[in-house]
Amino acid sequence: MTYYSGSVAAVPAANRDAYLEHVRRAWPLMREQGVTRMVETWGEDVPHGKRTDFYRAVQAQEGEVPVFSWMEWPDRATCDAAFQRMMADESFPERIGEMPFDGKRMIFGGFAPLTADGTDRGAGWFQGFLLAVPADKRDAYASMAREAHEQMFAPNGCMGTFETWGEDVPRGKLTDMYRAVEAEDGEVVVFSWTAWPDRATYEAAGKAMEASMQGQEMPDMPFDGQRMMWGGFAPIFDSDRG
């Protein structure tokens, strides 16, 4: 079963080209390790939140941009074995090169697919999410996500909705995904994204969905929406596109 490595980093805007060069250098090395696809997206419409947001998640400094990324693996076993090899390979850091961002503030984790509706192949825009869901509400959350895609996102032009469930999310010394979403005991980190043909379609859909909710009460959600973070991201690298 497909498995994902999801991450969020803060990259200086001035280092965008250097970051892309770093990604292009990393891709063949990760492909050798078993990665089947690698996607990197650059924050272009990332709001600051009252309680949580992608900037605080990675302790972004002035002039830094949130980058939302993931790698696809054929299964978790391949992923786990690959990271063990990379950690043991003393030459790997030199081969991948210096990172044009502060890796100590990057947050990451391993995720199993929870729902996958539609496609994210060929998307020109992504909306990324990070949130915490109580473990005992896993099925309720999955049902809500599928319903949202069918009734709201897809009718407004969304290509696909993907929800992934945290299975190997480490605790960090400086930052981590649990702290990013202020996770409570018994909660699981969820890393998810929606795929759109372009930013214009995404923005029009947002306005249409907001208008459709006018005068209606917000439905009960199986998670604390106040701790969810989201943003709009432009793809800068997708290994499927070469």
Side-chain angles (χ1 to χ4, degrees), residues 2-155:
T2 303
Y3 190 72
Y4 297 93
S5 296
S7 65
V8 182
V11 179
N15 289 357
R16 187 182 186 278
D17 290 345
Y19 181 78
L20 183 54
E21 181 181 346
H22 169 76
V23 169
R24 288 173 173 157
R25 186 170 58 248
W27 163 236
L29 300 178
M30 299 310 300
R31 182 175 53 196
E32 289 175 2
Q33 297 295 333
V35 174
T36 56
R37 184 186 180 202
M38 190 165 80
V39 180
E40 300 280 340
T41 70
W42 187 263
E44 289 191 0
D45 183 27
V46 182
H48 290 274
K50 292 182 179 179
R51 186 167 175 182
T52 62
D53 59 43
F54 279 116
Y55 297 99
R56 275 178 278 195
V58 290
Q59 296 183 14
Q61 300 174 6
E62 186 71 26
E64 291 185 332
V65 177
V67 174
F68 184 90
S69 314
W70 67 93
M71 294 185 291
E72 294 181 13
W73 304 82
D75 49 51
R76 178 172 177 177
T78 302
C79 174
D80 289 348
F83 275 104
Q84 288 178 6
R85 286 194 301 271
M86 289 186 286
M87 291 292 289
D89 184 356
E90 295 181 357
S91 70
F92 192 80
E94 181 178 351
R95 285 192 291 151
I96 203 167
E98 184 177 354
M99 296 187 297
F101 64 96
D102 183 2
K104 293 180 181 179
R105 290 185 281 125
M106 181 174 70
I107 59 177
F108 56 90
F111 298 83
L114 180 60
T115 68
D117 296 294
T119 182
D120 63 355
R121 260 60 179 180
W125 185 262
F126 292 95
Q127 186 176 30
F129 301 86
L130 195 65
L131 60 150
V133 177
D136 60 0
K137 294 185 178 180
R138 182 181 187 275
D139 292 344
Y141 179 79
S143 296
M144 182 207 70
R146 292 191 181 101
E147 183 177 309
H149 177 76
E150 293 173 0
Q151 298 184 8
M152 297 185 67
F153 289 104

Side-chain angles (χ1 to χ4, degrees), residues 175-218:
T175 59
D176 60 46
M177 288 186 168
Y178 295 102
R179 273 182 275 195
V181 295
E182 300 181 4
E184 301 174 355
D185 288 344
E187 290 185 333
V188 176
V189 176
V190 170
F191 181 93
S192 63
W193 61 93
T194 57
W196 303 82
D198 48 50
R199 180 172 180 172
T201 303
Y202 159 80
E203 292 179 341
K207 293 177 181 177
M209 288 186 284
E210 184 178 353
S212 70
M213 292 297 294
Q214 287 293 332
Q216 298 186 37
E217 292 186 8
M218 286 293 294

